[in-house]
Amino acid sequence: RRPAGLATVPVAAEYVPTMVRAGTVLFKKMRRRRSSGAQIGDPYTVEVYTNPVTNSATGRIFVDDFNSYDYKEGQFVYLTMDCAGTSCSSKPLSIQAKSVPENESKGRNWPAAGTQVQGQLPATKQVNLAVERVVLIGLQTAPTKVTFEKDGQETDLHFTTRPCGGLVCA
């Protein structure tokens, strides 16, 4: 964690620094592959960079099938993840449809321009949505328990912590 202002960071071919604003949630595919196309089925790592002043973070992710224009028909997932205090939650977002040129719309079921569209991926394409790991960076105190809740069902999760710049990372 660095104070605001100018920072000089050494750079090498093996190491590229990343600057992330406090209060941000990033969704990353961490497995090294020869190309991004090979990462399609890989799970996500969610990195939560907590803002120490507000004790919160937020981020968005848009996922489609990585292959077609079916997102124009609503085949996508667009989520926001909000973390505040001791919990994180996600909810779906919608996007506003744009006009599509007539020559592109033949035989397609695209929504009218200006329509709010909340996407949904078909079940066969949802393998791309798995979360493998959640990394919490910048916590004020170490958690004593981490759980995942879905449909009222709560599951305890394994977690580790380590100090990071005077704060806690889990």
Side-chain angles (χ1 to χ4, degrees):
R1 185 172 190 288
R2 296 182 183 265
L6 180 65
T8 302
V9 181
V11 177
E14 311 79 41
Y15 172 77
V16 177
T18 303
M19 307 294 181
V20 179
R21 183 181 303 271
T24 301
V25 177
L26 296 179
F27 301 85
K28 299 165 76 175
K29 293 198 176 209
M30 299 297 291
R31 296 191 181 156
R32 292 182 180 190
R33 305 285 187 188
R34 291 183 183 263
S35 71
S36 59
Q39 292 181 315
I40 289 174
D42 290 355
Y44 286 92
T45 294
V46 180
E47 293 184 348
V48 180
Y49 293 85
T50 306
N51 183 327
V53 176
T54 63
N55 201 26
S56 65
T58 189
R60 295 179 178 184
I61 183 170
F62 179 94
V63 181
D64 64 6
D65 68 2
F66 300 97
N67 192 33
S68 69
Y69 292 103
D70 290 346
Y71 70 91
K72 293 181 179 182
E73 295 181 26
Q75 292 188 24
F76 63 86
V77 172
Y78 185 38
L79 299 173
T80 182
M81 181 175 227
D82 297 307
C83 299
T86 59
S87 66
C88 293
S89 62
S90 67
K91 64 182 178 186
L93 295 173
S94 60
I95 61 171
Q96 188 171 8
K98 296 182 178 180
S99 61
V100 178
E102 193 173 319
N103 62 336
E104 291 184 28
S105 63
K106 291 180 183 174
R108 305 300 292 236
N109 186 24
W110 290 343
T115 307
Q116 287 298 112
V117 179
Q118 187 168 325
Q120 173 128 9
L121 276 176
T124 57
K125 297 180 181 179
Q126 290 190 10
V127 294
N128 301 331
L129 301 176
V131 173
E132 176 178 55
R133 177 181 302 119
V134 177
V135 180
L136 306 170
I137 300 164
L139 300 173
Q140 300 295 324
T141 58
T144 57
K145 181 179 179 181
V146 176
T147 59
F148 173 77
E149 182 183 336
K150 182 177 181 182
D151 301 329
Q153 207 66 336
E154 197 171 274
T155 306
D156 288 340
L157 301 176
H158 171 76
F159 71 98
T160 59
T161 62
R162 63 180 172 80
C164 69
L167 299 171
V168 176
C169 294

